[in-house]
Amino acid sequence: MTKPVSIGVLALQGDCAAHAKAFGALGCDVREIRRPAEIAESDGLVIPGGETTTLIKLLRAEGFWDVLIRAPGTGRPIFGTCAGLILLAKKVVDPVQESLGLLPVVVRRNAYGRQVDSFVVPGQVRMPGGGELKETEFVFIRAPRIDAVGPSVEVLARHEDAPVLVRSGWVLGASFHPELTTDGIVAGLFVALVEEAREVRPGGNGGNR
Ligand code: GLN
């Protein structure tokens, strides 16, 4: 039997508990990541929402920055939600801010938050590779807006024309908070990516490491 995928949830700041619960409900082996070396023990990594200005300082101070940049290249997918998406983006505006540059998108911070601090809307998510369309809901909390996407980016969901769930290679980003929705649809989509990456990762075949 294949070993369950291990999902590391970055636990420096932000809502890691909700992510841990969502992936735990799917049978994943969930670990909270507090040190860069723990990333290599996980098959995939989640960067939760929070406050990017604080997260950037913590990632730098704890030595996470370069380890995170290398993670997708070692076959460990990364999923960033809200602040996590901002950190993954190639370019951040309003204000301009440094980022890991792993996802070829331009994001505008707090673009939804100026009108209303948070809101929930029904939405649909396309499974990667032009797969099935699934009904879910999008919870936005002072969310960034994805203003532009590069050619390698697959848009998996939109809200009012703006992409809200995007994937490029082993990197997935959501401007909303799927961990606050109980259907597990987006978490399941990420687990499928992590399983796929583990299959092709040297030494990663189903957990026989
Ligand atoms: N507004 C936050 C930022 O710009 C992100 C908000 C969130 O993660 N819920 O860092």
PDB file of all heavy atoms in Angstrom, residues 156-196:
ATOM      1  N   LEU A 156      -7.155  27.862 -12.686  1.00  0.00           N
ATOM      2  CA  LEU A 156      -8.079  26.797 -12.284  1.00  0.00           C
ATOM      3  C   LEU A 156      -9.387  27.347 -11.732  1.00  0.00           C
ATOM      4  O   LEU A 156     -10.374  26.608 -11.633  1.00  0.00           O
ATOM      5  CB  LEU A 156      -7.398  25.894 -11.243  1.00  0.00           C
ATOM      6  CG  LEU A 156      -6.089  25.248 -11.730  1.00  0.00           C
ATOM      7  CD1 LEU A 156      -5.372  24.542 -10.584  1.00  0.00           C
ATOM      8  CD2 LEU A 156      -6.359  24.270 -12.856  1.00  0.00           C
ATOM      9  N   ALA A 157      -9.398  28.617 -11.352  1.00  0.00           N
ATOM     10  CA  ALA A 157     -10.641  29.239 -10.892  1.00  0.00           C
ATOM     11  C   ALA A 157     -10.542  30.743 -11.075  1.00  0.00           C
ATOM     12  O   ALA A 157      -9.454  31.320 -11.036  1.00  0.00           O
ATOM     13  CB  ALA A 157     -10.886  28.912  -9.419  1.00  0.00           C
ATOM     14  N   ARG A 158     -11.725  31.351 -11.276  1.00  0.00           N
ATOM     15  CA  ARG A 158     -11.804  32.812 -11.406  1.00  0.00           C
ATOM     16  C   ARG A 158     -12.927  33.336 -10.545  1.00  0.00           C
ATOM     17  O   ARG A 158     -13.900  32.627 -10.283  1.00  0.00           O
ATOM     18  CB  ARG A 158     -12.148  33.214 -12.860  1.00  0.00           C
ATOM     19  CG  ARG A 158     -11.060  32.957 -13.830  1.00  0.00           C
ATOM     20  CD  ARG A 158     -11.504  33.401 -15.249  1.00  0.00           C
ATOM     21  NE  ARG A 158     -10.486  33.013 -16.203  1.00  0.00           N
ATOM     22  CZ  ARG A 158      -9.424  33.764 -16.483  1.00  0.00           C
ATOM     23  NH1 ARG A 158      -9.280  34.958 -15.947  1.00  0.00           N
ATOM     24  NH2 ARG A 158      -8.519  33.327 -17.328  1.00  0.00           N
ATOM     25  N   HIS A 159     -12.798  34.583 -10.146  1.00  0.00           N
ATOM     26  CA  HIS A 159     -13.900  35.288  -9.497  1.00  0.00           C
ATOM     27  C   HIS A 159     -13.973  36.654 -10.163  1.00  0.00           C
ATOM     28  O   HIS A 159     -12.988  37.405 -10.149  1.00  0.00           O
ATOM     29  CB  HIS A 159     -13.654  35.432  -7.984  1.00  0.00           C
ATOM     30  CG  HIS A 159     -14.616  36.355  -7.321  1.00  0.00           C
ATOM     31  ND1 HIS A 159     -15.972  36.107  -7.267  1.00  0.00           N
ATOM     32  CD2 HIS A 159     -14.436  37.535  -6.689  1.00  0.00           C
ATOM     33  CE1 HIS A 159     -16.573  37.091  -6.638  1.00  0.00           C
ATOM     34  NE2 HIS A 159     -15.665  37.974  -6.270  1.00  0.00           N
ATOM     35  N   GLU A 160     -15.124  36.952 -10.767  1.00  0.00           N
ATOM     36  CA  GLU A 160     -15.308  38.218 -11.494  1.00  0.00           C
ATOM     37  C   GLU A 160     -14.125  38.507 -12.415  1.00  0.00           C
ATOM     38  O   GLU A 160     -13.488  39.559 -12.301  1.00  0.00           O
ATOM     39  CB  GLU A 160     -15.532  39.361 -10.503  1.00  0.00           C
ATOM     40  CG  GLU A 160     -16.898  39.266  -9.841  1.00  0.00           C
ATOM     41  CD  GLU A 160     -17.155  40.359  -8.820  1.00  0.00           C
ATOM     42  OE1 GLU A 160     -16.185  41.066  -8.466  1.00  0.00           O
ATOM     43  OE2 GLU A 160     -18.302  40.475  -8.378  1.00  0.00           O
ATOM     44  N   ASP A 161     -13.821  37.543 -13.264  1.00  0.00           N
ATOM     45  CA  ASP A 161     -12.768  37.681 -14.286  1.00  0.00           C
ATOM     46  C   ASP A 161     -11.335  37.546 -13.779  1.00  0.00           C
ATOM     47  O   ASP A 161     -10.440  37.254 -14.561  1.00  0.00           O
ATOM     48  CB  ASP A 161     -12.885  38.996 -15.078  1.00  0.00           C
ATOM     49  CG  ASP A 161     -14.077  38.957 -16.007  1.00  0.00           C
ATOM     50  OD1 ASP A 161     -14.576  37.834 -16.263  1.00  0.00           O
ATOM     51  OD2 ASP A 161     -14.511  40.026 -16.462  1.00  0.00           O
ATOM     52  N   ALA A 162     -11.098  37.779 -12.494  1.00  0.00           N
ATOM     53  CA  ALA A 162      -9.710  37.665 -12.014  1.00  0.00           C
ATOM     54  C   ALA A 162      -9.414  36.218 -11.642  1.00  0.00           C
ATOM     55  O   ALA A 162     -10.240  35.555 -11.007  1.00  0.00           O
ATOM     56  CB  ALA A 162      -9.506  38.559 -10.806  1.00  0.00           C
ATOM     57  N   PRO A 163      -8.237  35.715 -12.017  1.00  0.00           N
ATOM     58  CA  PRO A 163      -7.855  34.361 -11.577  1.00  0.00           C
ATOM     59  C   PRO A 163      -7.763  34.347 -10.052  1.00  0.00           C
ATOM     60  O   PRO A 163      -7.280  35.313  -9.449  1.00  0.00           O
ATOM     61  CB  PRO A 163      -6.460  34.163 -12.181  1.00  0.00           C
ATOM     62  CG  PRO A 163      -6.313  35.214 -13.235  1.00  0.00           C
ATOM     63  CD  PRO A 163      -7.182  36.353 -12.823  1.00  0.00           C
ATOM     64  N   VAL A 164      -8.240  33.280  -9.422  1.00  0.00           N
ATOM     65  CA  VAL A 164      -8.138  33.178  -7.953  1.00  0.00           C
ATOM     66  C   VAL A 164      -7.449  31.885  -7.516  1.00  0.00           C
ATOM     67  O   VAL A 164      -7.083  31.738  -6.357  1.00  0.00           O
ATOM     68  CB  VAL A 164      -9.522  33.315  -7.253  1.00  0.00           C
ATOM     69  CG1 VAL A 164     -10.069  34.722  -7.440  1.00  0.00           C
ATOM     70  CG2 VAL A 164     -10.525  32.276  -7.744  1.00  0.00           C
ATOM     71  N   LEU A 165      -7.287  30.937  -8.469  1.00  0.00           N
ATOM     72  CA  LEU A 165      -6.546  29.706  -8.176  1.00  0.00           C
ATOM     73  C   LEU A 165      -5.711  29.406  -9.416  1.00  0.00           C
ATOM     74  O   LEU A 165      -6.256  29.265 -10.511  1.00  0.00           O
ATOM     75  CB  LEU A 165      -7.506  28.557  -7.866  1.00  0.00           C
ATOM     76  CG  LEU A 165      -6.842  27.210  -7.535  1.00  0.00           C
ATOM     77  CD1 LEU A 165      -6.092  27.283  -6.203  1.00  0.00           C
ATOM     78  CD2 LEU A 165      -7.876  26.089  -7.465  1.00  0.00           C
ATOM     79  N   VAL A 166      -4.394  29.359  -9.255  1.00  0.00           N
ATOM     80  CA  VAL A 166      -3.505  29.204 -10.400  1.00  0.00           C
ATOM     81  C   VAL A 166      -2.429  28.173 -10.102  1.00  0.00           C
ATOM     82  O   VAL A 166      -2.025  27.988  -8.955  1.00  0.00           O
ATOM     83  CB  VAL A 166      -2.834  30.552 -10.787  1.00  0.00           C
ATOM     84  CG1 VAL A 166      -3.845  31.536 -11.342  1.00  0.00           C
ATOM     85  CG2 VAL A 166      -2.085  31.156  -9.613  1.00  0.00           C
ATOM     86  N   ARG A 167      -1.980  27.543 -11.201  1.00  0.00           N
ATOM     87  CA  ARG A 167      -0.946  26.527 -11.034  1.00  0.00           C
ATOM     88  C   ARG A 167       0.107  26.705 -12.124  1.00  0.00           C
ATOM     89  O   ARG A 167      -0.216  26.956 -13.284  1.00  0.00           O
ATOM     90  CB  ARG A 167      -1.592  25.146 -11.179  1.00  0.00           C
ATOM     91  CG  ARG A 167      -0.631  24.010 -11.006  1.00  0.00           C
ATOM     92  CD  ARG A 167      -0.606  23.100 -12.210  1.00  0.00           C
ATOM     93  NE  ARG A 167       0.450  22.124 -12.071  1.00  0.00           N
ATOM     94  CZ  ARG A 167       0.379  20.885 -12.499  1.00  0.00           C
ATOM     95  NH1 ARG A 167      -0.703  20.452 -13.097  1.00  0.00           N
ATOM     96  NH2 ARG A 167       1.407  20.086 -12.347  1.00  0.00           N
ATOM     97  N   SER A 168       1.358  26.585 -11.740  1.00  0.00           N
ATOM     98  CA  SER A 168       2.429  26.534 -12.725  1.00  0.00           C
ATOM     99  C   SER A 168       3.416  25.486 -12.230  1.00  0.00           C
ATOM    100  O   SER A 168       4.010  25.635 -11.159  1.00  0.00           O
ATOM    101  CB  SER A 168       3.106  27.901 -12.855  1.00  0.00           C
ATOM    102  OG  SER A 168       4.205  27.806 -13.729  1.00  0.00           O
ATOM    103  N   GLY A 169       3.549  24.414 -12.961  1.00  0.00           N
ATOM    104  CA  GLY A 169       4.432  23.322 -12.528  1.00  0.00           C
ATOM    105  C   GLY A 169       3.999  22.794 -11.169  1.00  0.00           C
ATOM    106  O   GLY A 169       2.828  22.496 -10.935  1.00  0.00           O
ATOM    107  N   TRP A 170       4.948  22.745 -10.240  1.00  0.00           N
ATOM    108  CA  TRP A 170       4.652  22.230  -8.904  1.00  0.00           C
ATOM    109  C   TRP A 170       4.271  23.339  -7.927  1.00  0.00           C
ATOM    110  O   TRP A 170       4.412  23.171  -6.720  1.00  0.00           O
ATOM    111  CB  TRP A 170       5.843  21.449  -8.355  1.00  0.00           C
ATOM    112  CG  TRP A 170       6.251  20.234  -9.118  1.00  0.00           C
ATOM    113  CD1 TRP A 170       7.521  19.912  -9.493  1.00  0.00           C
ATOM    114  CD2 TRP A 170       5.414  19.158  -9.566  1.00  0.00           C
ATOM    115  NE1 TRP A 170       7.520  18.711 -10.159  1.00  0.00           N
ATOM    116  CE2 TRP A 170       6.245  18.229 -10.224  1.00  0.00           C
ATOM    117  CE3 TRP A 170       4.044  18.893  -9.498  1.00  0.00           C
ATOM    118  CZ2 TRP A 170       5.758  17.056 -10.798  1.00  0.00           C
ATOM    119  CZ3 TRP A 170       3.555  17.736 -10.072  1.00  0.00           C
ATOM    120  CH2 TRP A 170       4.398  16.837 -10.709  1.00  0.00           C
ATOM    121  N   VAL A 171       3.802  24.454  -8.447  1.00  0.00           N
ATOM    122  CA  VAL A 171       3.435  25.560  -7.560  1.00  0.00           C
ATOM    123  C   VAL A 171       1.970  25.935  -7.778  1.00  0.00           C
ATOM    124  O   VAL A 171       1.520  26.113  -8.907  1.00  0.00           O
ATOM    125  CB  VAL A 171       4.357  26.788  -7.802  1.00  0.00           C
ATOM    126  CG1 VAL A 171       4.062  27.888  -6.789  1.00  0.00           C
ATOM    127  CG2 VAL A 171       5.829  26.375  -7.703  1.00  0.00           C
ATOM    128  N   LEU A 172       1.237  25.992  -6.653  1.00  0.00           N
ATOM    129  CA  LEU A 172      -0.197  26.288  -6.682  1.00  0.00           C
ATOM    130  C   LEU A 172      -0.434  27.497  -5.791  1.00  0.00           C
ATOM    131  O   LEU A 172       0.151  27.596  -4.701  1.00  0.00           O
ATOM    132  CB  LEU A 172      -0.950  25.059  -6.129  1.00  0.00           C
ATOM    133  CG  LEU A 172      -2.473  25.098  -6.061  1.00  0.00           C
ATOM    134  CD1 LEU A 172      -3.077  25.042  -7.477  1.00  0.00           C
ATOM    135  CD2 LEU A 172      -3.008  23.909  -5.239  1.00  0.00           C
ATOM    136  N   GLY A 173      -1.277  28.427  -6.248  1.00  0.00           N
ATOM    137  CA  GLY A 173      -1.552  29.603  -5.424  1.00  0.00           C
ATOM    138  C   GLY A 173      -3.028  29.945  -5.448  1.00  0.00           C
ATOM    139  O   GLY A 173      -3.676  29.854  -6.489  1.00  0.00           O
ATOM    140  N   ALA A 174      -3.566  30.328  -4.288  1.00  0.00           N
ATOM    141  CA  ALA A 174      -4.976  30.740  -4.199  1.00  0.00           C
ATOM    142  C   ALA A 174      -5.041  32.100  -3.512  1.00  0.00           C
ATOM    143  O   ALA A 174      -4.374  32.307  -2.494  1.00  0.00           O
ATOM    144  CB  ALA A 174      -5.782  29.727  -3.393  1.00  0.00           C
ATOM    145  N   SER A 175      -5.846  33.002  -4.075  1.00  0.00           N
ATOM    146  CA  SER A 175      -5.996  34.295  -3.396  1.00  0.00           C
ATOM    147  C   SER A 175      -7.016  34.184  -2.273  1.00  0.00           C
ATOM    148  O   SER A 175      -7.089  35.035  -1.409  1.00  0.00           O
ATOM    149  CB  SER A 175      -6.390  35.389  -4.395  1.00  0.00           C
ATOM    150  OG  SER A 175      -7.514  34.988  -5.125  1.00  0.00           O
ATOM    151  N   PHE A 176      -7.808  33.102  -2.282  1.00  0.00           N
ATOM    152  CA  PHE A 176      -8.817  32.893  -1.235  1.00  0.00           C
ATOM    153  C   PHE A 176      -8.301  31.882  -0.217  1.00  0.00           C
ATOM    154  O   PHE A 176      -7.138  31.469  -0.265  1.00  0.00           O
ATOM    155  CB  PHE A 176     -10.141  32.455  -1.877  1.00  0.00           C
ATOM    156  CG  PHE A 176     -10.061  31.170  -2.654  1.00  0.00           C
ATOM    157  CD1 PHE A 176     -10.493  29.978  -2.113  1.00  0.00           C
ATOM    158  CD2 PHE A 176      -9.551  31.150  -3.948  1.00  0.00           C
ATOM    159  CE1 PHE A 176     -10.435  28.790  -2.820  1.00  0.00           C
ATOM    160  CE2 PHE A 176      -9.481  29.970  -4.674  1.00  0.00           C
ATOM    161  CZ  PHE A 176      -9.914  28.798  -4.107  1.00  0.00           C
ATOM    162  N   HIS A 177      -9.181  31.478   0.720  1.00  0.00           N
ATOM    163  CA  HIS A 177      -8.774  30.573   1.813  1.00  0.00           C
ATOM    164  C   HIS A 177      -9.540  29.251   1.741  1.00  0.00           C
ATOM    165  O   HIS A 177     -10.537  29.076   2.454  1.00  0.00           O
ATOM    166  CB  HIS A 177      -9.059  31.240   3.167  1.00  0.00           C
ATOM    167  CG  HIS A 177      -8.091  32.319   3.501  1.00  0.00           C
ATOM    168  ND1 HIS A 177      -6.959  32.107   4.252  1.00  0.00           N
ATOM    169  CD2 HIS A 177      -8.077  33.620   3.150  1.00  0.00           C
ATOM    170  CE1 HIS A 177      -6.299  33.239   4.372  1.00  0.00           C
ATOM    171  NE2 HIS A 177      -6.950  34.172   3.711  1.00  0.00           N
ATOM    172  N   PRO A 178      -9.097  28.288   0.932  1.00  0.00           N
ATOM    173  CA  PRO A 178      -9.832  27.019   0.809  1.00  0.00           C
ATOM    174  C   PRO A 178      -9.865  26.220   2.112  1.00  0.00           C
ATOM    175  O   PRO A 178     -10.759  25.413   2.313  1.00  0.00           O
ATOM    176  CB  PRO A 178      -9.063  26.265  -0.279  1.00  0.00           C
ATOM    177  CG  PRO A 178      -7.768  26.949  -0.411  1.00  0.00           C
ATOM    178  CD  PRO A 178      -7.919  28.342   0.061  1.00  0.00           C
ATOM    179  N   GLU A 179      -8.916  26.478   3.006  1.00  0.00           N
ATOM    180  CA  GLU A 179      -8.882  25.736   4.277  1.00  0.00           C
ATOM    181  C   GLU A 179     -10.062  26.103   5.180  1.00  0.00           C
ATOM    182  O   GLU A 179     -10.324  25.408   6.156  1.00  0.00           O
ATOM    183  CB  GLU A 179      -7.541  25.956   4.991  1.00  0.00           C
ATOM    184  CG  GLU A 179      -7.352  27.291   5.692  1.00  0.00           C
ATOM    185  CD  GLU A 179      -7.045  28.470   4.758  1.00  0.00           C
ATOM    186  OE1 GLU A 179      -7.093  28.305   3.527  1.00  0.00           O
ATOM    187  OE2 GLU A 179      -6.766  29.566   5.286  1.00  0.00           O
ATOM    188  N   LEU A 180     -10.769  27.194   4.828  1.00  0.00           N
ATOM    189  CA  LEU A 180     -11.924  27.584   5.644  1.00  0.00           C
ATOM    190  C   LEU A 180     -13.235  27.052   5.072  1.00  0.00           C
ATOM    191  O   LEU A 180     -14.318  27.366   5.555  1.00  0.00           O
ATOM    192  CB  LEU A 180     -11.978  29.112   5.780  1.00  0.00           C
ATOM    193  CG  LEU A 180     -10.737  29.734   6.440  1.00  0.00           C
ATOM    194  CD1 LEU A 180     -10.862  31.252   6.509  1.00  0.00           C
ATOM    195  CD2 LEU A 180     -10.506  29.154   7.839  1.00  0.00           C
ATOM    196  N   THR A 181     -13.125  26.255   4.022  1.00  0.00           N
ATOM    197  CA  THR A 181     -14.291  25.615   3.393  1.00  0.00           C
ATOM    198  C   THR A 181     -14.165  24.122   3.697  1.00  0.00           C
ATOM    199  O   THR A 181     -13.065  23.585   3.638  1.00  0.00           O
ATOM    200  CB  THR A 181     -14.244  25.864   1.867  1.00  0.00           C
ATOM    201  OG1 THR A 181     -14.167  27.263   1.645  1.00  0.00           O
ATOM    202  CG2 THR A 181     -15.439  25.300   1.149  1.00  0.00           C
ATOM    203  N   THR A 182     -15.283  23.475   4.028  1.00  0.00           N
ATOM    204  CA  THR A 182     -15.162  22.096   4.522  1.00  0.00           C
ATOM    205  C   THR A 182     -15.123  21.023   3.424  1.00  0.00           C
ATOM    206  O   THR A 182     -14.890  19.859   3.724  1.00  0.00           O
ATOM    207  CB  THR A 182     -16.328  21.766   5.485  1.00  0.00           C
ATOM    208  OG1 THR A 182     -17.538  22.108   4.817  1.00  0.00           O
ATOM    209  CG2 THR A 182     -16.204  22.515   6.786  1.00  0.00           C
ATOM    210  N   ASP A 183     -15.323  21.416   2.144  1.00  0.00           N
ATOM    211  CA  ASP A 183     -15.435  20.363   1.117  1.00  0.00           C
ATOM    212  C   ASP A 183     -14.104  19.695   0.736  1.00  0.00           C
ATOM    213  O   ASP A 183     -14.110  18.657   0.077  1.00  0.00           O
ATOM    214  CB  ASP A 183     -16.141  20.913  -0.139  1.00  0.00           C
ATOM    215  CG  ASP A 183     -15.419  22.107  -0.747  1.00  0.00           C
ATOM    216  OD1 ASP A 183     -14.189  22.188  -0.653  1.00  0.00           O
ATOM    217  OD2 ASP A 183     -16.114  22.970  -1.332  1.00  0.00           O
ATOM    218  N   GLY A 184     -12.986  20.272   1.102  1.00  0.00           N
ATOM    219  CA  GLY A 184     -11.684  19.646   0.827  1.00  0.00           C
ATOM    220  C   GLY A 184     -11.306  19.580  -0.648  1.00  0.00           C
ATOM    221  O   GLY A 184     -10.364  18.883  -1.019  1.00  0.00           O
ATOM    222  N   ILE A 185     -12.004  20.329  -1.499  1.00  0.00           N
ATOM    223  CA  ILE A 185     -11.769  20.220  -2.950  1.00  0.00           C
ATOM    224  C   ILE A 185     -10.388  20.733  -3.353  1.00  0.00           C
ATOM    225  O   ILE A 185      -9.645  20.053  -4.069  1.00  0.00           O
ATOM    226  CB  ILE A 185     -12.900  20.940  -3.724  1.00  0.00           C
ATOM    227  CG1 ILE A 185     -14.144  20.059  -3.665  1.00  0.00           C
ATOM    228  CG2 ILE A 185     -12.500  21.253  -5.168  1.00  0.00           C
ATOM    229  CD1 ILE A 185     -15.387  20.661  -4.245  1.00  0.00           C
ATOM    230  N   VAL A 186     -10.011  21.893  -2.863  1.00  0.00           N
ATOM    231  CA  VAL A 186      -8.714  22.453  -3.257  1.00  0.00           C
ATOM    232  C   VAL A 186      -7.575  21.697  -2.560  1.00  0.00           C
ATOM    233  O   VAL A 186      -6.538  21.431  -3.159  1.00  0.00           O
ATOM    234  CB  VAL A 186      -8.665  23.975  -2.999  1.00  0.00           C
ATOM    235  CG1 VAL A 186      -7.305  24.532  -3.375  1.00  0.00           C
ATOM    236  CG2 VAL A 186      -9.757  24.683  -3.805  1.00  0.00           C
ATOM    237  N   ALA A 187      -7.788  21.306  -1.314  1.00  0.00           N
ATOM    238  CA  ALA A 187      -6.776  20.506  -0.611  1.00  0.00           C
ATOM    239  C   ALA A 187      -6.562  19.198  -1.372  1.00  0.00           C
ATOM    240  O   ALA A 187      -5.423  18.755  -1.574  1.00  0.00           O
ATOM    241  CB  ALA A 187      -7.207  20.241   0.833  1.00  0.00           C
ATOM    242  N   GLY A 188      -7.646  18.589  -1.843  1.00  0.00           N
ATOM    243  CA  GLY A 188      -7.558  17.332  -2.599  1.00  0.00           C
ATOM    244  C   GLY A 188      -6.797  17.524  -3.903  1.00  0.00           C
ATOM    245  O   GLY A 188      -6.007  16.665  -4.312  1.00  0.00           O
ATOM    246  N   LEU A 189      -7.029  18.673  -4.534  1.00  0.00           N
ATOM    247  CA  LEU A 189      -6.330  18.992  -5.783  1.00  0.00           C
ATOM    248  C   LEU A 189      -4.823  19.079  -5.516  1.00  0.00           C
ATOM    249  O   LEU A 189      -4.003  18.558  -6.274  1.00  0.00           O
ATOM    250  CB  LEU A 189      -6.893  20.325  -6.282  1.00  0.00           C
ATOM    251  CG  LEU A 189      -6.501  20.948  -7.601  1.00  0.00           C
ATOM    252  CD1 LEU A 189      -7.549  21.993  -7.975  1.00  0.00           C
ATOM    253  CD2 LEU A 189      -5.138  21.565  -7.592  1.00  0.00           C
ATOM    254  N   PHE A 190      -4.456  19.722  -4.392  1.00  0.00           N
ATOM    255  CA  PHE A 190      -3.028  19.840  -4.065  1.00  0.00           C
ATOM    256  C   PHE A 190      -2.443  18.464  -3.735  1.00  0.00           C
ATOM    257  O   PHE A 190      -1.336  18.139  -4.181  1.00  0.00           O
ATOM    258  CB  PHE A 190      -2.821  20.822  -2.906  1.00  0.00           C
ATOM    259  CG  PHE A 190      -1.365  21.036  -2.575  1.00  0.00           C
ATOM    260  CD1 PHE A 190      -0.480  21.545  -3.518  1.00  0.00           C
ATOM    261  CD2 PHE A 190      -0.867  20.723  -1.316  1.00  0.00           C
ATOM    262  CE1 PHE A 190       0.873  21.735  -3.225  1.00  0.00           C
ATOM    263  CE2 PHE A 190       0.480  20.910  -1.015  1.00  0.00           C
ATOM    264  CZ  PHE A 190       1.353  21.417  -1.966  1.00  0.00           C
ATOM    265  N   VAL A 191      -3.176  17.649  -3.003  1.00  0.00           N
ATOM    266  CA  VAL A 191      -2.676  16.303  -2.657  1.00  0.00           C
ATOM    267  C   VAL A 191      -2.401  15.507  -3.948  1.00  0.00           C
ATOM    268  O   VAL A 191      -1.386  14.817  -4.059  1.00  0.00           O
ATOM    269  CB  VAL A 191      -3.671  15.562  -1.739  1.00  0.00           C
ATOM    270  CG1 VAL A 191      -3.287  14.092  -1.584  1.00  0.00           C
ATOM    271  CG2 VAL A 191      -3.717  16.238  -0.368  1.00  0.00           C
ATOM    272  N   ALA A 192      -3.275  15.654  -4.940  1.00  0.00           N
ATOM    273  CA  ALA A 192      -3.069  14.947  -6.214  1.00  0.00           C
ATOM    274  C   ALA A 192      -1.768  15.414  -6.872  1.00  0.00           C
ATOM    275  O   ALA A 192      -0.998  14.596  -7.408  1.00  0.00           O
ATOM    276  CB  ALA A 192      -4.264  15.170  -7.142  1.00  0.00           C
ATOM    277  N   LEU A 193      -1.486  16.719  -6.811  1.00  0.00           N
ATOM    278  CA  LEU A 193      -0.226  17.242  -7.375  1.00  0.00           C
ATOM    279  C   LEU A 193       0.980  16.676  -6.622  1.00  0.00           C
ATOM    280  O   LEU A 193       1.985  16.297  -7.221  1.00  0.00           O
ATOM    281  CB  LEU A 193      -0.157  18.766  -7.218  1.00  0.00           C
ATOM    282  CG  LEU A 193      -0.841  19.688  -8.203  1.00  0.00           C
ATOM    283  CD1 LEU A 193      -0.457  21.133  -7.888  1.00  0.00           C
ATOM    284  CD2 LEU A 193      -0.403  19.351  -9.619  1.00  0.00           C
ATOM    285  N   VAL A 194       0.849  16.633  -5.290  1.00  0.00           N
ATOM    286  CA  VAL A 194       1.953  16.142  -4.454  1.00  0.00           C
ATOM    287  C   VAL A 194       2.204  14.658  -4.745  1.00  0.00           C
ATOM    288  O   VAL A 194       3.357  14.223  -4.843  1.00  0.00           O
ATOM    289  CB  VAL A 194       1.645  16.387  -2.952  1.00  0.00           C
ATOM    290  CG1 VAL A 194       2.698  15.752  -2.065  1.00  0.00           C
ATOM    291  CG2 VAL A 194       1.553  17.877  -2.660  1.00  0.00           C
ATOM    292  N   GLU A 195       1.133  13.914  -4.936  1.00  0.00           N
ATOM    293  CA  GLU A 195       1.299  12.480  -5.250  1.00  0.00           C
ATOM    294  C   GLU A 195       2.006  12.307  -6.593  1.00  0.00           C
ATOM    295  O   GLU A 195       2.892  11.466  -6.749  1.00  0.00           O
ATOM    296  CB  GLU A 195      -0.071  11.783  -5.284  1.00  0.00           C
ATOM    297  CG  GLU A 195      -0.562  11.473  -3.876  1.00  0.00           C
ATOM    298  CD  GLU A 195      -2.012  10.996  -3.828  1.00  0.00           C
ATOM    299  OE1 GLU A 195      -2.752  11.207  -4.815  1.00  0.00           O
ATOM    300  OE2 GLU A 195      -2.390  10.446  -2.783  1.00  0.00           O
ATOM    301  N   GLU A 196       1.597  13.142  -7.562  1.00  0.00           N
ATOM    302  CA  GLU A 196       2.202  13.090  -8.896  1.00  0.00           C
ATOM    303  C   GLU A 196       3.696  13.435  -8.807  1.00  0.00           C
ATOM    304  O   GLU A 196       4.543  12.762  -9.405  1.00  0.00           O
ATOM    305  CB  GLU A 196       1.470  14.131  -9.747  1.00  0.00           C
ATOM    306  CG  GLU A 196       1.536  13.949 -11.227  1.00  0.00           C
ATOM    307  CD  GLU A 196       0.840  15.131 -11.920  1.00  0.00           C
ATOM    308  OE1 GLU A 196      -0.268  15.535 -11.497  1.00  0.00           O
ATOM    309  OE2 GLU A 196       1.445  15.647 -12.876  1.00  0.00           O
TER     310      GLU A 196
END
